[in-house]
Amino acid sequence: MSLSPDSGATATQIDRIVEQIRVDNPTQHHIVAFSGGVDSSLALALTNLAFPQTTKAVIGLSAALPATQLELARKVASTVGVSLTEQQTNEGENEDYIANAGMSCYHCKTALYTALSSVLHHVDAHTTGTLTLYNGTNLDDLSDPTRVGLLAASKFNVYSPLSKLPKVEVRKLAKHLGLPNHNYAASPCLRSRLAFGVEATSDHLRKIETGEEFIRSVLSLPVETDMRLRMLAGRKAMIELGASSTNLEESREKLKQAGVDSLLIDELQFKAWDMRPFKSGSEAKVIELKL
């Protein structure tokens, strides 16, 4: 993986993190919970620099992972030079996950880390030895009270090499390492688009994915622009657009002309739709974490 031109200070910072990873994790196998987002991509790149022979990337396959995100994950893993294992996860069979009552992220991450812990047996039935799991949790995530997946990470002793880096630093280092998604908008799972109490069924997640693909295409949104299609109570669709996109009324008119009513109301069976400015976690619910 080639490095892009950048300051020596950034290279030194990367060297320090890589060395810390080596010191903290004297295990034989290293598996990164990979999503294709910039955080887990940087975690993968740094872990691979620390352990180039024993680092593996695993992405969990479920209805909550958009096809476009899987394509991006494959591209990033190839750029880093690490093979990608695509592992089916079973959170969609968990009634508590489906209920989406505030702890779905915990149940999802529990399913993911369970799958990661056993993935060596899928890759090589004869593989043995100690194992470290990694994720892309950054410093900003640690102060977000809605991230109940952190509780699952704690229970599985997942190592977070980015835990001292704010998001802005994550993007800077990702750019320095030549990661193609360094400037991509955040890409949480499709379940995060559902208002709490709206069940996380595969049908609901498919509707969100289909709608978002349509909206991004019609509005020609660049990769760094935030956009969400939220599913609210009463089957109401809420489109959220980031500040870097055109104004809401212009976007609304473009979508209408392109047939958004036919898609959202007739095909996807939403009862109504509206638009508002993007806000990260606008449908999130604060749960008291006990880490």
Side-chain angles (χ1 to χ4, degrees):
M1 182 172 57
S2 60
L3 299 183
S4 60
D6 207 335
S7 68
T10 300
T12 300
Q13 184 181 16
I14 289 173
D15 289 341
R16 285 200 302 265
I17 297 172
V18 170
E19 181 57 29
Q20 193 64 55
I21 293 172
R22 291 194 187 105
V23 171
D24 290 344
N25 303 288
T27 54
Q28 294 174 275
H29 305 288
H30 308 270
I31 296 183
V32 179
F34 188 53
S35 70
V38 65
D39 297 312
S40 66
S41 296
L42 180 60
L44 177 63
L46 295 172
T47 303
N48 188 55
L49 287 173
F51 303 106
Q53 303 302 318
T54 54
T55 295
K56 300 180 185 299
V58 181
I59 188 168
L61 301 182
S62 73
L65 178 72
T68 53
Q69 191 68 15
L70 178 56
E71 292 175 8
L72 177 61
R74 290 168 175 165
K75 178 180 179 181
V76 175
S78 177
T79 299
V80 174
V82 175
S83 62
L84 178 62
T85 297
E86 299 172 13
Q87 176 69 33
Q88 194 71 42
T89 56
N90 63 359
E91 70 273 11
E93 301 172 7
N94 185 325
E95 292 183 0
D96 292 326
Y97 170 83
I98 295 172
N100 193 29
M103 290 296 289
S104 289
C105 188
Y106 168 78
H107 296 298
C108 178
K109 294 299 185 184
T110 296
L112 174 64
Y113 295 136
T114 298
L116 263 62
S117 297
S118 61
V119 76
L120 288 179
H121 299 291
H122 294 271
V123 176
D124 183 348
H126 302 291
T127 299
T128 59
T130 53
L131 166 70
T132 299
L133 302 180
Y134 299 77
N135 66 16
T137 298
N138 64 48
L139 181 62
D140 297 340
D141 296 334
L142 295 177
S143 61
D144 183 347
T146 70
R147 292 184 176 271
V148 296
L150 295 176
L151 182 58
S154 176
K155 289 187 176 182
F156 280 83
N157 296 315
V158 179
Y159 185 79
S160 304
L162 314 184
S163 61
K164 296 181 181 179
L165 295 176
K167 188 77 170 191
V168 64
E169 287 292 309
V170 169
R171 293 193 183 279
K172 183 180 77 172
L173 269 58
K175 181 178 181 180
H176 179 81
L177 290 173
L179 298 182
N181 59 345
H182 68 88
N183 64 336
Y184 275 46
S187 52
C189 74
L190 294 174
R191 200 279 314 159
S192 67
R193 274 71 153 169
L194 305 177
F196 284 98
V198 175
E199 291 189 336
T201 63
S202 59
D203 179 63
H204 285 168
L205 298 173
R206 181 192 61 81
K207 292 179 190 297
I208 294 296
E209 181 175 12
T210 300
E212 288 196 346
E213 288 179 356
F214 174 86
I215 294 164
R216 279 202 172 272
S217 176
V218 169
L219 299 181
S220 300
L221 297 178
V223 295
E224 64 269 18
T225 297
D226 291 301
M227 186 276 295
R228 301 283 188 275
L229 174 61
R230 311 281 189 191
M231 183 180 288
L232 309 183
R235 295 214 309 271
K236 180 177 180 180
M238 180 63 70
I239 300 170
E240 295 185 354
L241 291 179
S244 61
S245 61
T246 56
N247 69 59
L248 292 183
E249 291 309 311
E250 289 179 0
S251 297
R252 186 191 300 271
E253 188 58 32
K254 287 182 181 179
L255 290 170
K256 283 185 176 180
Q257 291 178 3
V260 70
D261 289 290
S262 177
L263 176 72
L264 294 182
I265 306 300
D266 299 334
E267 180 179 339
L268 301 183
Q269 299 183 323
F270 286 100
K271 288 188 175 180
W273 68 276
D274 204 348
M275 298 182 71
R276 66 190 182 193
F278 168 78
K279 181 180 179 182
S280 180
S282 62
E283 294 303 316
K285 181 178 181 180
V286 175
I287 302 291
E288 182 181 356
L289 296 180
K290 296 181 180 179
L291 299 178

